[in-house]
Amino acid sequence: MSSQIRNFSRIKWYVLFYSFILIFTHSHIATAHIGSSGIIVQKQVGKYQLLISVSPPDVVPGTARVTVFVEQGRVREIGARPIYFRSGDEGAPTHDILTTVSQNRYEADLWLMDSGASSIEISIDGPDGKQQVVVPVMAIATAMRDMPAGTGWGLAAMGLLLIVMLITIIGASNADGITAPDQPVTPVLRRKRLIGMGIGLVSVTLILVGWRSWWNSTAEEYKSEQLYQPTRINTSVRITDAQRQLTIQFDTAGAKNQRKRLFSYLLPDHGKLMHTFIVRIPGLDAFAHLHPNRRDTLNYNATLPTMFPGGKYLVYSDVVYRSGFTETLTDTIDVPFLKISAEAAANAKPSDPDDSWLVTEPMGVKASAVNVPHLDNDMVVCGKPGASVTLEDGSTMLWMDKPSQILESGKLYTLKFAVADSKGKAAALEPYLGMPGHAAILRSDGSVYIHLHPVGTYSMAAEGSMVGRIADTSRTFHYPNAVQFRDSIDAYVQKLKTVPEAEKNTLLAAAMPGMNHVMKVANMVEFPYAFPRAGHYRIWVQVKRNGRVLTGVFDTQVNDPLL
């Protein structure tokens, strides 16, 4: 019991301290999936079809907003609780019951009290049975806020009044407290009163100076230790044997204390240790989805496509750590132009058999815009108007059920894409890296990036890590030997490159038990997403057909909703 009391007192202190941090500090923004901090999950569990949205706090401790839409199934009650990787199920609180907002919508606010890899466990109970869903959530502080000017002046005025009153009380206690009530005020009493007030002023000043020093030190510690700092990477391209080699190196010089990542403990996500997307700017007309090979703990290499044009590129690399913590690492690179013979181009092979790329038309750029891609309002599809594009094998990809030409920010959409063969008939799709398809969405200025899957905006590897940790009954997680863990992962990833496609997909399915989002139509893939900001977006949709990865590209405009 005494331990519980101490923990409760510690929690109250954290809440009080970080409440002050929120008031007295300024805004700072950083996210893992760039510009899209919320988590969206859509999956079938038992007889329930669920659409889950989690909006994590930007300051920790803080509350995460959890919303569950029950699209199918009879539900009596839904509960939710946060579970951290470090403490596991044994250190987690009990479930909070979500409030019924409408017939199929449930909501609650959950406190996340500490930074680190965490998850929200959703528990569903009803006539259709009991089920649980684990949603990986990164509990990280990404913001510091300004105090409103009016509030600051008001608090300053009240503080000054309290200081004057305190000094007056100290002076009075030094003089009036030792005299009778009816004794007249003498010069001696006045002098004692002034001396007392002087002592009080000095004491309060020293207290305020000490408090100010402590506050600045604590705020600085918050910014350096608690506030999320993305891992930096250094990228470069060199020409070797008539091919351009991309190198990605983790920059460990900027890591601080607990911000140091355990780079030996990366997990493969649908079979790859790193998913790297490179996009040429400003037109976003050249796109590649690469899977760099690990050369050593800090260095990864990939071969760029031979027909890829040179220029400046944005780099987004997704990685997952053993704790389930996910990061998107960003950089820019200058890719040199490369001229090679047709024979050399034909003989060149990618560094990973699942690498894919596409060179297409650029986004429209207005003459008055400088390095800022801009789409006209009537331009909704790359190339020609209309929600369809021709793929490299002659088939057609269609954007189905697009509600309007211009979409709204903050609104949850299900982005549906279907593929028809050259005769207009439905073309059955094959698994691509163990799932029906992938999508990458990028705002024209690069400020919003997301790697989407049919089950949502989260990592399957992170989900598997958290599910396994919850099943573990130990209160503390102990990492295995770093070298042995890294070598075993490398062997697993290499095996996936050599086995037949059917066996590879079987192995990937076993590694992603939560990936049970089967498409209802064999030629269609869909992705749940809410565009976080207004702007112009390009969407790359990747599917596999006849053993070939095909990429369809669509442009769309997103506006803020009208109030």
Side-chain angles (χ1 to χ4, degrees):
M1 179 63 70
S2 61
S3 175
Q4 292 176 344
I5 293 174
R6 285 195 301 271
N7 289 338
F8 181 68
S9 300
R10 181 170 176 255
I11 289 173
K12 290 196 297 183
W13 161 245
Y14 277 166
V15 172
L16 177 62
F17 169 67
Y18 285 107
S19 296
F20 278 109
I21 284 286
L22 284 176
I23 292 174
F24 284 102
T25 49
H26 60 277
S27 176
H28 182 91
I29 297 176
T31 56
H33 265 122
I34 308 302
S36 302
S37 59
I39 307 297
I40 299 173
V41 176
Q42 187 175 41
K43 64 167 54 181
Q44 183 84 27
V45 284
K47 296 183 178 180
Y48 301 109
Q49 176 72 26
L50 304 175
L51 179 60
I52 304 168
S53 173
V54 178
S55 297
D58 55 6
V59 174
V60 181
T63 56
R65 186 69 171 176
V66 180
T67 303
V68 179
F69 296 91
V70 181
E71 300 177 319
Q72 179 182 323
R74 297 168 296 166
V75 170
R76 178 169 50 249
E77 184 179 86
I78 297 180
R81 63 171 181 159
I83 302 179
Y84 282 84
F85 182 83
R86 285 194 298 267
S87 55
D89 180 68
E90 293 298 316
T94 58
H95 289 85
D96 288 349
I97 303 302
L98 274 64
T99 301
T100 305
V101 177
S102 60
Q103 183 177 0
N104 68 335
R105 180 178 176 179
Y106 300 79
E107 290 185 347
D109 289 327
L110 295 184
W111 274 98
L112 297 179
M113 300 305 302
D114 199 3
S115 298
S118 66
S119 64
I120 303 295
E121 183 185 69
I122 308 293
S123 178
I124 306 102
D125 190 8
D128 287 331
K130 294 183 178 181
Q131 295 290 339
Q132 288 185 336
V133 177
V134 174
V135 180
V137 176
M138 301 304 104
I140 52 176
T142 60
M144 300 179 70
R145 299 196 183 98
D146 286 324
M147 174 190 288
T151 303
W153 285 110
L155 290 176
M158 287 189 291
L160 181 61
L161 176 61
L162 289 174
I163 291 172
V164 172
M165 293 175 61
L166 178 60
I167 293 173
T168 303
I169 291 172
I170 293 174
S173 65
N174 187 55
D176 301 350
I178 59 175
T179 61
D182 56 349
Q183 183 176 344
V185 178
T186 64
V188 175
L189 290 177
R190 290 194 186 96
R191 187 166 56 253
K192 289 184 176 181
R193 186 179 297 169
L194 291 175
I195 292 173
M197 294 175 67
I199 294 173
L201 178 60
V202 172
S203 301
V204 170
T205 299
L206 291 175
I207 292 173
L208 290 177
V209 169
W211 177 85
R212 177 69 176 176
S213 176
W214 170 84
W215 179 263
N216 288 339
S217 173
T218 306
E220 185 61 33
E221 180 183 357
Y222 173 83
K223 287 191 288 185
S224 62
E225 302 295 340
Q226 296 294 327
L227 198 64
Y228 173 68
Q229 299 175 5
T231 299
R232 293 198 295 261
I233 56 173
N234 299 317
T235 58
S236 61
V237 178
R238 73 180 190 278
I239 298 177
T240 304
D241 298 330
Q243 286 188 307
R244 291 166 297 185
Q245 299 293 329
L246 170 68
T247 298
I248 299 176
Q249 181 185 53
F250 289 104
D251 182 2
T252 59
K256 294 182 179 180
N257 298 332
Q258 68 261 39
R259 289 292 159 216
K260 290 183 179 179
R261 310 298 195 259
L262 300 176
F263 299 115
S264 294
Y265 295 96
L266 290 187
L267 290 178
D269 198 10
H270 33 273
K272 308 297 180 182
L273 278 173
M274 181 181 288
H275 292 261
T276 296
F277 295 85
I278 64 172
V279 183
R280 190 165 74 159
I281 53 177
L284 311 189
D285 56 341
F287 163 89
H289 177 185
L290 307 176
H291 309 97
N293 296 312
R294 178 157 57 184
R295 192 177 70 192
D296 55 47
T297 302
L298 301 179
N299 293 278
Y300 290 72
N301 291 339
T303 301
L304 295 181
T306 54
M307 305 306 294
F308 224 46
K312 184 175 286 294
Y313 283 78
L314 298 175
V315 179
Y316 301 92
S317 290
D318 298 330
V319 295
V320 184
Y321 300 90
R322 177 62 183 87
S323 64
F325 193 90
T326 62
E327 277 195 306
T328 295
L329 317 173
T330 63
D331 201 1
T332 59
I333 55 171
D334 289 311
V335 175
F337 287 86
L338 179 66
K339 292 183 178 181
I340 60 174
S341 65
E343 181 182 359
N347 293 330
K349 293 183 179 180
S351 51
D352 188 283
D354 293 306
D355 286 355
S356 55
W357 56 89
L358 180 72
V359 180
T360 185
E361 296 295 324
M363 298 179 79
V365 181
K366 286 187 173 180
S368 60
V370 179
N371 295 330
V372 179
H374 182 86
L375 284 175
D376 296 326
N377 291 347
D378 61 350
M379 190 176 183
V380 296
V381 176
C382 178
K384 299 179 181 179
S388 67
V389 292
T390 301
L391 303 180
E392 288 182 317
D393 69 342
S395 60
T396 300
M397 180 178 288
L398 303 94
W399 186 345
M400 309 292 290
D401 301 333
K402 187 176 181 182
S404 62
Q405 186 178 17
I406 299 176
L407 305 181
E408 292 183 1
S409 63
K411 185 175 182 179
L412 184 59
Y413 293 99
T414 298
L415 309 177
K416 299 180 181 180
F417 303 90
V419 178
D421 63 19
S422 57
K423 297 180 180 180
K425 295 183 179 180
L429 303 177
E430 302 164 2
Y432 175 34
L433 296 177
M435 57 191 63
H438 296 252
I441 298 179
L442 189 65
R443 194 172 184 267
S444 61
D445 62 355
S447 62
V448 175
Y449 155 82
I450 190 76
H451 179 189
L452 280 175
H453 305 117
V455 290
T457 63
Y458 69 99
S459 159
M460 259 65 31
E463 179 187 29
S465 179
M466 293 304 305
V467 169
R469 181 68 182 98
I470 292 172
D472 185 1
T473 58
S474 61
R475 184 65 180 263
T476 303
F477 178 80
H478 297 285
Y479 279 91
N481 178 273
V483 175
Q484 293 178 356
F485 181 86
R486 185 189 62 201
D487 290 347
S488 66
I489 293 297
D490 286 343
Y492 169 76
V493 172
Q494 186 60 35
K495 178 181 179 180
L496 291 176
K497 294 181 180 182
T498 59
V499 299
E501 189 70 12
E503 183 180 350
K504 180 176 72 173
N505 286 321
T506 299
L507 292 172
L508 290 175
M512 299 184 294
M515 180 60 201
N516 56 358
H517 196 291
V518 179
M519 295 294 103
K520 300 179 178 62
V521 183
N523 73 319
M524 183 178 292
V525 62
E526 56 187 52
F527 308 92
Y529 187 60
F531 294 89
R533 297 171 53 198
H536 302 305
Y537 289 82
R538 175 155 281 191
I539 305 172
W540 293 269
V541 181
Q542 296 195 288
V543 296
K544 198 168 190 178
R545 180 170 177 261
N546 297 326
R548 184 178 181 182
V549 178
L550 304 171
T551 303
V553 58
F554 299 84
D555 295 332
T556 191
Q557 180 174 333
V558 177
N559 288 352
D560 289 326
L562 298 176
L563 300 178

